[in-house]
Amino acid sequence: MNKTILMGRLTRDPEVRYSSGDNPTAIARYTLAVDRRYQREGEPSADFIPCVTFGKVAEFAEKYFRKGTKVTLSGRIATGKYTNKEGQTVYTTEVIVEEQEFAESKATSERSQQADNNSPMPATAGDGFMNIPDGIDEELPFN
């Protein structure tokens, strides 16, 4: 069985392209910074996992995900290889995302991004939950 579940933060906004042809499909790529549970001295504290999504899942990432957004995803690991311009074989590993969702509220995300920027924390109002954007009902896989 090839199944992976990850939780981390986007290192940059998703890069989205559309396939060509009669029925163009969205393809979104992003990198997820996943904290390591244990850190040895001199080693990085996170792994940077390349992720790719297709179709409605990619359109959702394009519309709502931004650098610093904390997400949880599940998918499968895919490996591949290609030959670059210098004639060297390059091996690739990425997660093909099947499901993705927010891992924290919008207010918490904004506070953590403000803290990362060493800016004062904004005042928060309400219950701390993110407002559901208008029109998202049509994009949800369930009703």
Side-chain angles (χ1 to χ4, degrees), residues 117-137:
N117 294 333
N118 294 326
S119 300
M121 294 247 215
T124 58
D127 56 10
F129 289 96
M130 183 180 121
N131 292 329
I132 298 175
D134 293 333
I136 196 169
D137 294 337

Side-chain angles (χ1 to χ4, degrees), residues 33-66:
V34 179
D35 289 332
R36 291 185 177 177
R37 180 172 280 183
Y38 303 104
Q39 179 186 358
R40 293 186 183 153
E41 193 172 322
E43 288 187 2
S45 61
D47 292 303
F48 297 90
I49 314 292
C51 302
V52 63
T53 65
F54 299 93
K56 293 284 186 191
V57 179
E59 291 171 7
F60 184 88
E62 176 182 32
K63 203 170 197 179
Y64 300 109
F65 286 2
R66 297 291 171 258

Side-chain angles (χ1 to χ4, degrees), residues 87-113:
Q88 299 169 324
T89 301
V90 177
Y91 294 91
T92 62
T93 303
E94 60 191 5
V95 173
I96 307 300
V97 177
E98 296 163 354
E99 298 175 344
Q100 61 190 8
E101 59 188 55
F102 295 103
E104 65 186 0
S105 70
K106 185 175 182 181
T108 302
S109 176
E110 288 172 351
R111 281 196 304 268
S112 66
Q113 287 179 10

Side-chain angles (χ1 to χ4, degrees), residues 69-81:
T69 303
K70 188 173 188 178
V71 299
T72 301
L73 61 83
S74 65
R76 61 185 172 83
I77 295 174
T79 59
K81 67 178 182 175

